[in-house]
Amino acid sequence: MLRSLSGLVRFFGRTELPHIFPVIGINGRIFWPWLVFASQMMPFGRLPATDREKAILRVAWHCRSRYEWGQHVEMALKVGVSDQEIVEMTKPSMEIANCGDQLLAETCDQLCQQRLVDEENWLALNKRYTQKQVIELTMLVGHYVMVAGLLVNAGIKLEPSSERVLQDFYERLRRVARG
């Protein structure tokens, strides 16, 4: 199984097999259906890639999933999310300057905390996105909460290449803070 995944991973431009794969692969009956399901949202989803990554980062932050955070800082940077936009996704939603990002953060917060998006945000989501995208966003958040639970409890460590990207990100933030 892992050998066939190595080719798939290279197809998506990665050099290392994500550490989550062998862990989920312990239960092969779950692995392949999960991979097909997950791939329909990332990387083959209908949401703008920047919004998808910001939502996943918000979930990772909520769940304190370092692996998920590190993986998706790297992916967010690759799709054009700036360092500052990544930092914004860690702030209380009312402190986020960009209205679209604030809506994403509030939606993730509500789904992570109470599983219910309030009417005001639901209506705003349906103005900003298509119905298909709203369904996808809701399922994306739920999916990444589930994955974060596995990652945190299994103690899965970030791959070395992703760890380097994450440490470079933190170093850029330190340089900016020093002025």
Side-chain angles (χ1 to χ4, degrees):
M1 173 183 83
L2 295 180
R3 193 174 309 162
S4 62
L5 285 175
S6 295
L8 183 64
V9 167
R10 281 192 298 280
F11 174 77
F12 288 111
R14 300 196 63 91
T15 58
E16 298 173 274
L17 184 68
H19 289 168
I20 189 174
F21 284 10
V23 174
I24 296 177
I26 291 168
N27 188 333
R29 189 177 70 75
I30 290 174
F31 180 81
W32 291 107
W34 165 77
L35 189 60
V36 170
F37 172 74
S39 70
Q40 297 308 300
M41 294 179 283
M42 200 285 300
F44 301 119
R46 306 268 191 230
L47 286 169
T50 54
D51 290 0
R52 177 195 69 224
E53 292 305 322
K54 289 174 186 177
I56 295 169
L57 287 168
R58 186 69 172 198
V59 171
W61 187 257
H62 264 290
C63 296
R64 301 300 184 249
S65 175
R66 188 174 190 285
Y67 181 92
E68 200 164 71
W69 176 258
Q71 281 279 323
H72 289 279
V73 163
E74 182 177 6
M75 291 180 199
L77 292 168
K78 284 181 181 177
V79 299
V81 177
S82 71
D83 290 350
Q84 185 56 39
E85 289 172 308
I86 292 170
V87 170
E88 288 280 301
M89 296 313 289
T90 68
K91 294 180 178 178
S93 62
M94 296 312 261
E95 293 178 19
I96 297 173
N98 178 288
C99 293
D101 290 351
Q102 187 178 70
L103 176 62
L104 272 176
E106 287 175 2
T107 299
C108 291
D109 295 353
Q110 290 176 355
L111 287 167
C112 287
Q113 294 165 359
Q114 64 216 27
R115 311 293 179 262
L116 180 66
V117 177
D118 69 28
E119 185 175 354
E120 180 182 344
N121 283 343
W122 189 255
L123 291 172
L125 287 170
N126 279 282
K127 287 181 182 169
R128 182 174 172 88
Y129 300 107
T130 67
Q131 285 182 322
K132 288 180 182 181
Q133 289 173 319
V134 172
I135 290 168
E136 184 174 314
L137 175 62
T138 305
M139 294 189 75
L140 179 81
V141 171
H143 174 257
Y144 276 91
V145 167
M146 175 189 72
V147 169
L150 173 63
L151 293 166
V152 169
N153 286 289
I156 299 172
K157 303 287 185 222
L158 201 52
E159 296 81 26
S161 62
S162 295
E163 183 66 45
R164 283 189 298 278
V165 171
L166 185 60
Q167 292 310 312
D168 289 348
F169 166 73
Y170 290 146
E171 182 55 35
R172 287 193 303 277
L173 295 181
R174 283 190 287 274
R175 281 196 306 263
V176 168
R178 286 191 301 258

